[in-house]
Each structure stands twice: as structure tokens, then as C-alpha cells.
Amino acid sequence: MNTSRLPIQDPIVKKGELICHQDSLSSGGKAFRFQVQCAQIEAFPGMNADDEDYLPAFLIQYGDRYYAYLNRCAHVSMELDWNPGDVFNEEQTYIVCATHYAVYDPSNGQCLGGPCPKGAKLIALPIYQIDQQIYFGSL
């Protein structure tokens, strides 16, 4: 059984749907967790999931920009959070995997250090903003 079929606690967001209001985020603060259905994203190497499965994701603010990634370490596919939504290091400058201590650039998901293979990066998800609301997908 795929672990991606376990009960879902975070909201499911489909393309074109609201993820959250920007006031729910702060630069380097807690991530907003959500789930995406595999059928709603591009397949990637090692996806190991069916179209009807769901994968954990998160939305962050870094500086004055917003970024969304699958909640999955590029080293081993485990969620990054220390606690739900806690993906940043103490200085709020990098995303860090709580299990492997891989360090990622929040602005592009590139692995900067730790056990990731060379060139590894987080899997980015498309988002767009209308007024103060952030949506999943592309306009």
C-alpha cells in the first residue's frame, strides 16, 4: 500500500483553487501545508504514486515572494517539517530537512548542502497570486 493513500489531514487543493490568503504567511515563518493529487502535477522521477494518490505540499513566503514545493526531501522522499509547517532553519534563511539536514534555497528549491545528490532540488509547484490570495496552478 502506498503511504500517499493514508488519511489526509491537510486540505486538498486542485489547480485553480485557493491555497491560502497571503496574510496566513510571513517571510521565513511557518509553511502552509496542503495536499495535491498526483493527476494535478507533472510526473517526476521517483514519483512512485498513482494518479489518484495525494502528495503533501507546502507554501512559504520568503522575502516578498511566495513559493510552493512538494513536502519531500530530495535525498529520501520524506516530509521536511520539524513540526507541521516548520520547514525553515532557526535563522529563517533556508529550508531544512528535519530528518537528513539537507539544506535548500527557499527561492528555487536547490539543495545547498547535506546528503542530497549533486544538482538535487525540491519539486516546485506552480502558483499564482490574485490580490492577496495564492492559488495552485498557472493563469
Side-chain angles (χ1 to χ4, degrees), residues 37-57:
Q37 189 174 37
C38 292
Q40 297 275 307
I41 62 173
E42 287 187 38
F44 55 88
M47 188 166 177
N48 194 27
D50 298 323
D51 279 352
E52 65 273 3
D53 290 335
Y54 293 88
L55 295 175

Side-chain angles (χ1 to χ4, degrees), residues 72-102:
R72 162 186 196 112
C73 182
H75 170 233
V76 175
S77 61
M78 298 182 72
E79 292 185 23
L80 296 161
D81 318 39
W82 299 93
N83 293 306
D86 289 334
V87 297
F88 281 99
N89 63 344
E90 287 183 22
E91 296 80 17
Q92 301 176 324
T93 52
Y94 300 108
I95 296 171
V96 178
C97 175
T99 304
H100 309 111
Y101 304 105

